[in-house]
Amino acid sequence: MQKDYQPDLNGSDEIYGQEELIERAKSADALLVTVTDTLNREVIERLPRSIQMIATFSVGYDQIDVAAAQERKIAVSNTPGVLTNATADIAMLLLLGAARGAGNGEQAIRQNTWRNWAPTGFLGRDLTGKRLGILGMGRIGRAVAKRAQAFDMEIHYHNRSQLPEHEEAGAHYHDSLESLLPNCDFLSIHAASTPQTRGIINTGTLQALPPGAIIVNTARGDLVDDNALISALKSGHIGAAGLDVFNDEPQLDPRYRTLPNTFLLPHLGSATLETRNAMGFCALDNLDAFFAGKALPNPVTL
Ligand code: 8YV
């Protein structure tokens, strides 16, 4: 970026507020943003005329009002594909971490409270032989299914449409969430955040899961109703939750921190050196294509 552009970099990684974002856009032709830069309609309408493109350093683009950008003829791109494996790996880490109570075990070591090996100490649950439900069978959902099959899990999924047989790879399709949920010993969320999916994990849907089911989320925090999940974790109806994403992150609901049956990570689904490099180069490829007058490799359209 330094070589080909004159970037105004956010060197401290502090989240810019709305006003600062608009102010900093003033001498720019394009914005390279990420998930914490909210570009809602109001912000987009106030962007200077010089802005022709928004490249987001993320596969998700729920923070951008794409319709508002299109109305202003601002092109939008994202970074799909390059973070599939890293994110699927974190979903497996969450499944294992939540099922095996890895957070509690780690804390016992760090806080020096581990006193004895006991037959019933730190008991978790097996993944082997269990049913894993996948909500949203896109690239990441399918990569999780592949990994979970290596753990001898039985895969069930719900998606807007059924996948072709070779992509299903033996997974069972459910044409509704209602049909999927009773078949999930584990549920992994991989749907995009849209007006249709926000709050999709709520009191009603949680109730449809078998008692003791374990939920993991590497997608977006706003798919989950925190009050509903926290009360289901407290009652034990949900056995454990592994969460990498949260509503209002990094200011997540503090009750998650004190629950013994949560395994929590700070939104690091794509956080490997290899993947973050690939995301950065992907965002740059899109900017380069745009300013060369070529088609974007990863356009975001409605
Ligand atoms: C991170 C993600 O938010 O790409 C996404 O949509 O949620 C994650 O990969 C991203 O790396 C931050 O820019």
Side-chain angles (χ1 to χ4, degrees):
M1 206 192 302
Q2 297 273 25
K3 184 162 92 32
D4 296 335
Y5 297 87
Q6 288 128 36
D8 172 10
L9 299 175
N10 178 350
S12 63
D13 284 340
E14 265 175 53
I15 299 172
Y16 292 152
Q18 195 161 311
E19 295 308 318
E20 184 156 14
L21 202 60
I22 295 166
E23 190 53 38
R24 282 180 180 268
K26 280 198 175 135
S27 52
D29 301 306
L31 295 175
L32 200 167
V33 298
T34 188
V35 289
T36 41
D37 300 311
T38 304
L39 289 155
N40 56 25
R41 174 168 287 278
E42 190 199 333
V43 174
I44 287 184
E45 284 176 355
R46 290 179 56 208
L47 287 176
R49 287 280 150 205
S50 60
I51 297 292
Q52 301 163 54
M53 170 153 181
I54 300 169
T56 183
F57 182 83
S58 60
V59 63
Y61 48 85
D62 46 293
Q63 82 282 22
I64 302 172
D65 189 322
V66 178
Q70 281 186 349
E71 282 165 34
R72 292 234 4 222
K73 307 221 175 337
I74 297 173
V76 179
S77 70
N78 67 341
T79 62
V82 292
L83 46 69
T84 302
N85 289 326
T87 308
D89 289 348
I90 287 293
M92 292 312 296
L93 179 61
L94 292 178
L95 286 168
L96 288 163
R100 301 299 294 271
N104 297 334
E106 225 243 355
Q107 256 182 38
I109 300 265
R110 286 186 190 277
Q111 294 170 357
N112 198 11
T113 56
W114 181 34
R115 293 290 165 259
N116 55 345
W117 186 94
T120 53
F122 297 111
L123 279 192
R125 305 303 297 265
D126 280 335
L127 266 57
T128 308
K130 300 285 170 57
R131 298 166 300 174
L132 170 64
I134 298 188
L135 174 56
M137 199 66 152
R139 291 184 189 84
I140 299 172
R142 295 201 297 277
V144 172
K146 189 174 160 191
R147 284 158 175 73
Q149 278 166 337
F151 281 77
D152 289 332
M153 298 187 88
E154 181 183 296
I155 312 300
H156 293 253
Y157 74 100
H158 170 58
N159 202 42
R160 271 168 304 184
S161 51
Q162 183 165 8
L163 300 182
E165 214 177 313
H166 69 279
E167 283 185 355
E168 254 182 357
H172 306 275
Y173 178 61
H174 295 264
D175 62 5
S176 69
L177 188 57
E178 291 67 35
S179 155
L180 172 72
L181 293 174
N183 291 289
C184 302
D185 302 309
F186 291 80
L187 175 69
S188 190
I189 306 171
H190 299 287
S193 165
T194 66
Q196 292 73 42
T197 60
R198 273 168 216 145
I200 198 165
I201 303 300
N202 52 42
T203 306
T205 47
L206 288 169
Q207 218 38 55
L209 285 163
I214 293 176
I215 294 197
V216 307
N217 189 6
T218 50
R220 283 291 179 269
D222 62 7
L223 272 64
V224 173
D225 173 340
D226 288 332
N227 283 330
L229 179 56
I230 287 165
S231 80
L233 283 163
K234 281 186 176 160
S235 75
H237 176 67
I238 295 301
L243 306 173
D244 185 48
V245 288
F246 302 88
N247 277 300
D248 304 322
E249 60 188 47
Q251 271 80 45
L252 55 123
D253 191 315
R255 292 174 293 173
Y256 283 123
R257 294 196 185 102
T258 54
L259 286 166
N261 48 353
T262 54
F263 180 71
L264 310 171
L265 295 175
H267 198 152
L268 44 76
S270 65
T272 66
L273 181 63
E274 297 87 343
T275 296
R276 288 282 166 85
N277 273 335
M279 290 166 70
F281 286 115
C282 178
L284 275 178
D285 286 345
N286 280 277
L287 286 165
D288 291 349
F290 181 82
F291 288 111
K294 295 184 186 149
L296 300 187
N298 308 106
V300 172
T301 50
L302 284 181

